[in-house]
Amino acid sequence: MTDYAVCYSPRGRPAIAVDKGSIILHTFAAEDIVEVGTFEGIEIKARRQKAVMQKSQLWSWMVGDGKCRRLRSESSSVVLKRLQALEPAITKICQISGTPGLSLGVLYNDESLYKHNYGYRDVEAKLQTASDTVYHIGSMTKAFTAAAISILVENKQIRWDEPINHIVPGGISFRNSELNNMTIVDILSHRMGLERSNQTWHGNDNIPLLTKEQIIPHMEYLKVVRPFRDAFQYSNWGYALAGELIQHLAHASWGNFVQKRLLDPLGMNRSGSVKESQGNSFAKGYAALDDRSFYPLAPVQVRDGVIMDSSQGLVSTIDDMLKWSQALLTSINNEGMSDGASGAASPVKNIAQLIASHTPLAKPFDQSAYGMGWVRTQLPAPLGATGCNPGFVEKMPVVGHGSDQIVLYHQGSLAGYTSSIFLLPSTKSAIVVLTNSISLNDCADWIGQLALEALLGTTHPNDYVQYTQESSINQIAKFPLMQKTLEEAKIKGTSPKPLEACVGDYCNEVNDFKIRILTRPSSGSLELQFQGLDSQTWELHHYHNDTFIWLMSRDEAVKRARFPYSPEKLFKLEFIASLEGKMTSVLWAHDADAPPEQLGKVDHSVDSNEAFQKGVNPTIIA
């Protein structure tokens, strides 16, 4: 046995190559064991391994440059020892980041090689994690939704290039008419260009602030902040819309369709989105406080039938996610052997489209592109583009020096959970990490990258304990730094108009989101309530002129299941008055990529609650 690589020509014809360069020794089609003959006097017998990738919509060579490169073939025992040697570092990373429980699983050469469980799924009861512990997987759900759409494409119920307007009952009409030509590929590859608008649907204590019925009307009014089809702009709303399309075309809820067409056929018996509870093995969600203690959070409510279910509504286990990884890798393998035709036995269809490079990412991830539910990168390169770590380190580490393999990956996060998955198609290998904390960084990402470099056998791996330390320190420092920044920009010696003038409801254009302003009986100061709900209350403090802030400490934020990643402008409300001195609107910069939104004050002579519930435009004070 010697080192070898299997590559594919643009027509998908497989060929085995030995040594560096592009020397083709033999082509084959079906044999699992290939006896090639001799090369420079060396007898070569190789188990078939396939590196199937796609570039510019054409099957290409493994590296995409018409050449084969040598893949190092290592025994499982050697790789296993490297993974086992990581356990002290995994413990340190979890402790530094404030992660109570973690489960890690690794496939190598299509076999389950390594599983490791750390800490507690329930801190108070001291119940330990296991490979069958159920976690929320957050945005790793997106790959399942894309695969579900791919089934509908396979069934000819939808085309990749078909405008969404042809499918949505009653159509959809965006602010920018160009977006009315949007296709399923556009929404699944994050190239719509719409603002993220996460603050309008995700509330304190994991309470959803909008319903599934409001997805399309809300999307229609979202601002365009990036050129359509010309830039990557991550959006949960695109996947929310994909879930609505699945429900319409399949005549079943998104969760039921994914369960019956993907999870059940793959034997993922502890995964799903249709159940409120997953029994005694469920991992409770926590927030890491600044002192690295754990604070239990209210349960996540995103599941089948709730807004963003198809974007981040699945739960799973390490055991089940390794089955998912095997199915994906097998589908990649089989599809390359049949000139792009999907394997009939696999529930994963059209894998080439799902992992293709549809939308290039920007620096520092400019070696990467987003497919549909996957980021695709050629090593060596920085990873972690869909997690929070890039915002808390000076520079992301370059992963995989000495390797030129393709990696498919994604992160996931919900208030109380982070997760990551990495696939290496060329060696049919995968890494899955699941955790139960909003930690002081993206712990699942750091540990996933740590395991990836061990799997690759990187000679000089990155120091992920040090990166964990740096990102944790920077996240803890973020809220005091925002307070300092606001204080330095404050105009001293100003006073607001009478507080009573600010009291009232302020609604957006489509009247599906409002901020209610009240006075606190105990102090007489102002407070806000998102959607007018008691559970969404924050105290307002005068900043300058008619601007108020609701900035809190990081601990206060995460205790109420708020992600601690937003810029300071989120926490400012600027009240706008007419020439007569009446407050008419409030400006709120709720989206990092968009200008502040103006919410109009409702005329209290109209029953604003009734108008709001009916979704009609109330009378706005001019």
Side-chain angles (χ1 to χ4, degrees):
M1 185 80 72
T2 188
D3 293 338
Y4 65 93
V6 176
C7 303
Y8 290 84
S9 71
R11 292 186 179 181
R13 186 169 178 79
I16 188 165
V18 177
D19 202 15
K20 292 185 177 180
S22 57
I23 303 171
I24 307 301
L25 300 181
H26 190 70
T27 60
F28 60 92
E31 297 84 356
D32 284 329
I33 302 296
V34 181
E35 184 169 347
V36 180
T38 60
F39 173 63
E40 294 185 354
I42 302 172
E43 185 179 7
I44 300 162
K45 291 183 180 180
R47 180 189 296 269
R48 185 176 68 214
Q49 289 205 54
K50 288 171 282 294
V52 183
M53 288 294 133
Q54 191 187 47
K55 189 171 185 179
S56 301
Q57 309 302 314
L58 294 173
W59 289 104
S60 67
W61 298 95
M62 184 177 70
V63 184
D65 60 3
K67 295 181 180 180
C68 295
R69 303 287 177 86
R70 186 167 64 179
L71 294 179
R72 182 169 53 182
S73 178
E74 291 187 295
S75 70
S76 295
S77 61
V78 171
V79 177
L80 178 60
K81 286 181 181 178
R82 286 204 300 264
L83 292 168
Q84 291 171 331
L86 301 178
E87 291 175 13
I90 291 172
T91 297
K92 285 183 182 179
I93 290 172
C94 288
Q95 291 172 342
I96 294 169
S97 64
T99 298
L102 170 143
S103 294
L104 164 67
V106 179
L107 291 177
Y108 182 64
N109 284 333
D110 201 30
E111 295 180 356
S112 178
L113 178 65
Y114 176 71
K115 295 177 186 177
H116 176 65
N117 295 286
Y118 163 86
Y120 298 109
R121 63 178 174 83
D122 187 323
V123 173
E124 294 76 22
K126 298 198 179 305
L127 300 175
Q128 295 182 330
T129 60
S131 59
D132 66 348
T133 296
V134 179
Y135 298 82
H136 285 277
I137 66 170
S139 285
M140 279 161 48
T141 299
K142 290 178 170 66
F144 290 87
T145 297
I149 288 286
S150 193
I151 292 172
L152 298 176
V153 172
E154 184 80 359
N155 294 343
K156 303 189 185 309
Q157 293 173 267
I158 187 176
R159 299 190 317 273
W160 292 119
D161 61 353
E162 188 173 1
I164 300 301
N165 251 325
H166 294 178
I167 308 162
V168 175
I172 185 168
S173 179
F174 292 96
R175 287 174 181 260
N176 183 341
S177 60
E178 188 181 18
L179 271 64
N180 293 330
N181 297 317
M182 185 185 298
T183 67
I184 194 68
V185 175
D186 296 325
I187 68 174
L188 295 181
S189 62
H190 297 302
R191 62 190 192 193
M192 299 183 298
L194 296 174
E195 60 181 315
R196 298 191 183 204
S197 194
N198 287 327
Q199 301 293 334
T200 57
W201 74 265
H202 182 264
N204 306 334
D205 304 317
N206 276 319
I207 295 174
L209 301 181
L210 296 173
T211 67
K212 281 176 69 70
E213 291 71 27
Q214 293 170 304
I215 289 172
I216 291 176
H218 192 85
M219 286 189 70
E220 287 180 322
Y221 108 100
L222 292 179
K223 298 181 183 71
V224 176
V225 295
R226 296 279 190 276
F228 176 50
R229 290 182 180 163
D230 195 39
F232 177 77
Q233 174 70 9
Y234 195 88
S235 173
N236 287 315
W237 290 95
Y239 279 80
L241 178 57
E244 297 300 288
L245 297 177
I246 291 169
Q247 180 169 315
H248 172 64
L249 294 171
H251 305 290
S253 73
W254 164 83
N256 279 314
F257 186 79
V258 168
Q259 189 77 47
K260 292 179 180 178
R261 300 301 298 271
L262 290 170
L263 305 181
D264 289 348
L266 294 174
M268 298 176 66
N269 299 323
R270 298 187 60 75
S271 303
S273 185
V274 296
K275 298 177 182 177
E276 219 170 306
S277 170
Q278 296 295 320
N280 295 329
S281 63
F282 195 82
K284 289 175 62 176
Y286 294 86
L289 303 184
D290 288 357
D291 63 2
R292 294 178 172 79
S293 62
F294 311 125
Y295 187 87
L297 296 180
V300 170
Q301 295 188 32
V302 177
R303 58 181 180 273
D304 191 39
V306 178
I307 192 169
M308 298 300 166
D309 53 2
S310 49
S311 179
Q312 45 189 231
L314 284 177
V315 299
S316 192
T317 68
I318 283 295
D319 287 342
D320 278 3
M321 289 301 293
L322 292 182
K323 293 177 183 177
W324 170 240
S325 300
Q326 282 181 311
L328 291 163
L329 292 166
T330 299
S331 187
I332 291 172
N333 198 12
N334 291 342
E335 190 160 308
M337 292 298 293
S338 55
D339 286 339
S342 297
S346 174
V348 181
K349 308 297 183 182
N350 297 295
I351 190 68
Q353 275 284 355
L354 299 180
I355 65 172
S357 299
H358 292 293
T359 309
L361 273 60
K363 289 185 178 180
F365 304 105
D366 46 353
Q367 291 174 254
S368 306
Y370 201 90
M372 289 185 272
W374 297 99
V375 179
R376 174 178 168 157
T377 301
Q378 182 173 323
L379 298 177
L383 306 179
T386 55
C388 73
N389 282 334
F392 293 104
V393 294
E394 183 178 353
K395 186 178 181 181
M396 287 294 283
V398 175
V399 180
H401 286 288
S403 173
D404 55 16
Q405 293 191 54
I406 297 289
V407 177
L408 306 168
Y409 74 89
H410 213 284
Q411 281 78 50
S413 62
L414 279 169
Y417 304 87
T418 59
S419 55
S420 65
I421 184 170
F422 301 82
L423 303 180
L424 291 166
S426 58
T427 59
K428 298 193 77 172
S429 302
I431 297 163
V432 181
V433 186
L434 306 177
T435 81
N436 62 335
S437 175
I438 304 179
S439 59
L440 297 171
N441 47 45
D442 191 340
C443 171
D445 180 35
W446 289 140
I447 290 176
Q449 294 188 35
L450 173 77
L452 177 60
E453 291 205 316
L455 196 65
L456 294 167
T458 303
T459 306
H460 300 290
N462 294 298
D463 186 347
Y464 290 100
V465 173
Q466 179 59 41
Y467 277 105
T468 302
Q469 189 72 43
E470 178 188 353
S471 51
S472 297
I473 290 170
N474 288 339
Q475 189 180 131
I476 291 171
K478 178 178 174 61
F479 276 69
L481 182 60
M482 288 195 295
Q483 186 67 57
K484 179 183 178 183
T485 301
L486 285 169
E487 188 61 31
E488 290 174 348
K490 181 178 179 179
I491 302 172
K492 305 295 192 296
T494 66
S495 299
K497 293 182 176 60
L499 298 185
E500 305 81 51
C502 299
V503 172
D505 289 345
Y506 298 80
C507 293
N508 65 1
E509 288 181 29
V510 290
N511 202 38
D512 65 3
F513 184 84
K514 69 181 175 184
I515 298 176
R516 176 167 291 167
I517 305 297
L518 304 167
T519 54
R520 288 200 161 194
S522 57
S523 63
S525 61
L526 294 178
E527 65 181 18
L528 66 81
Q529 292 181 343
F530 296 122
Q531 298 293 55
L533 300 173
D534 290 341
S535 63
Q536 307 301 309
T537 302
W538 293 97
E539 185 173 5
L540 287 169
H541 304 276
H542 180 246
Y543 181 54
H544 60 219
N545 296 322
D546 291 318
T547 299
F548 291 75
I549 59 174
W550 53 289
L551 181 64
M552 68 298 290
S553 69
R554 182 188 173 280
D555 280 357
E556 289 177 292
V558 297
K559 282 181 179 181
R560 298 187 67 183
R562 294 196 71 89
F563 287 103
Y565 315 140
S566 301
E568 61 267 12
K569 68 178 185 177
L570 171 73
F571 301 98
K572 293 169 64 175
L573 289 182
E574 181 183 356
F575 291 89
I576 307 298
S578 66
L579 294 176
E580 294 78 21
K582 293 182 179 180
M583 294 300 182
T584 60
S585 61
V586 66
L587 292 177
W588 183 36
H590 62 81
D591 196 286
D593 301 313
E597 181 174 3
Q598 188 166 4
L599 287 77
K601 191 174 185 182
V602 177
D603 187 342
H604 286 285
S605 65
V606 178
D607 188 336
S608 61
N609 278 325
E610 181 180 354
F612 188 80
Q613 291 165 7
K614 291 181 178 179
V616 299
N617 288 322
T619 303
I620 304 297
I621 297 175

